[in-house]
Amino acid sequence: MMSLVLPTLLYLGLYLGQGTRAQEGRLPPPVLTAQPGTRVPSRKPVTILCLGPPDAKEYLIYKVSGPKRMDRRNSLVAGKTNTVTITEMRPDHTGLYSCTYRNREYWTKLSDPLSLVMTGAYDKPSFAHLSAIVVASGDSVKVQCFSRLKFDEFILTKEDAPHSTQNQSSTPQDNRHQAIFHMDHVTSTQTGTYRCYGAFSTEPYLWSEPSDPLQLVVRDQKTQRQQHLLIGLPVAIMLLLVLLLSLLFILHRRRKAKNNAARTQRQPEAVEPITGQASEAIDPQDVTYFQVAFNAPTQGTASTPSRLAKETQTSDYATLALR
């Protein structure tokens, strides 16, 4: 791939047309982009766009295919138009592209080369991770791409970063070819969706179908601490509230028990008086009679106690009702 980039750099300052010359440093170089992207599925359309200032007089867009003189005769587009549309992506459309524009009599430097790749040329490789998908900032991540096809290299891409790719030569392993990619000291900016492609060295711009996606999440340690705090604070408040309610309930029960005990001591059980009428109404089976003897002492001598007792003893009955 680098062998194709070097000829592009040699084109700077070359003669670019009929009697015009490049004036390096006076005009900013254009920016070459591709819509919807530089990785184009087979037979899908793509548009190459050379971005320059509004007062640009003329554009030239080239496909870099060798160290030959770049003039308007071998350009893909010349004039005010600054786009090239490819209706169906094919292998012969792949490669490096570059462009320039003219403002009055001067031409700018060539733009940075644009690499246009066709995907879907071969079966997709398998994509597996060898470490956790969710990692903390500063950790290392190791992922593996493998296939039974004897690809010369594997390419690791990030979907939202088209220019962020890693190329790794493949090695044979258990009747297949594989490559292991290492990402050391990852940050939150590396969070995203990754895919893997396979390619051969003879056709570096023809890639396989993309592998199944791999989601990588890199969490900042400070953010993790904040999340743990946000999760732990409501739980702590809830536990404290439950503990407080339990304590209030216990205190309420104790206070109620003390009040009942004090009320019982202040109000002893009342005893109803027993009247004659009430005693008559009581069931005879529930009445117990006690004989009470009264000894009334009289004047006399102590020589005849038995007689004295007979004369002075009287009896009465008290009725006790069992309630």
Side-chain angles (χ1 to χ4, degrees), residues 148-207:
R148 295 195 177 276
L149 295 177
K150 297 180 180 181
F151 290 122
D152 295 318
E153 65 177 0
F154 291 96
I155 304 98
L156 180 66
T157 66
K158 189 170 180 287
E159 284 193 351
D160 56 350
H163 301 292
S164 178
T165 60
Q166 296 185 40
N167 293 52
Q168 186 76 27
S169 299
S170 67
T171 56
Q173 179 71 29
D174 298 332
N175 296 325
R176 66 186 185 186
H177 279 61
Q178 69 172 13
I180 297 178
F181 297 88
H182 298 268
M183 291 182 282
D184 298 327
H185 307 293
V186 295
T187 63
S188 57
T189 59
Q190 292 171 277
T191 296
T193 302
Y194 290 80
R195 293 183 184 270
C196 182
Y197 297 86
F200 294 97
S201 58
T202 55
E203 298 286 351
Y205 301 106
L206 294 180
W207 292 5

Side-chain angles (χ1 to χ4, degrees), residues 1 14-15 24 42 106 145 208 227 232 256 270 278-279 305:
M1 186 177 296
L14 292 179
Y15 180 76
E24 298 180 5
S42 176
Y106 298 115
C145 189
S208 69
Q227 290 177 347
K256 186 176 180 180
S279 63

Side-chain angles (χ1 to χ4, degrees), residues 237-308:
I237 294 176
M238 183 63 69
L239 292 176
L240 182 61
L241 182 60
V242 172
L243 181 62
L244 180 61
L245 292 176
S246 301
L247 182 61
L248 291 176
F249 179 74
I250 294 173
L251 292 177
H252 175 72
R253 291 291 300 271
R254 288 183 177 179
R255 185 178 302 171
K256 186 176 180 180
K258 288 182 180 180
N259 291 339
N260 292 337
R263 191 180 298 111
T264 302
Q265 292 176 359
R266 290 195 302 267
Q267 298 178 358
E269 184 177 357
V271 179
E272 296 181 359
I274 301 177
T275 63
Q277 296 178 354
S279 63
E280 293 177 358
I282 298 175
D283 191 346
Q285 296 179 358
D286 296 334
V287 177
T288 302
Y289 296 91
F290 288 87
Q291 183 178 4
V292 181
F294 296 93
N295 296 326
T298 58
Q299 296 179 354
T301 63
S303 59
T304 59
S306 59
R307 182 180 178 180
L308 179 62

Side-chain angles (χ1 to χ4, degrees), residues 33-66:
T33 62
Q35 300 295 334
T38 58
R39 296 190 292 269
V40 187
S42 176
R43 298 186 179 278
K44 295 297 182 180
V46 63
T47 298
I48 301 173
L49 175 64
C50 185
L51 298 176
D55 58 347
K57 302 299 182 181
E58 188 177 6
Y59 287 91
L60 296 176
I61 299 177
Y62 303 94
K63 183 174 186 296
V64 180
S65 56

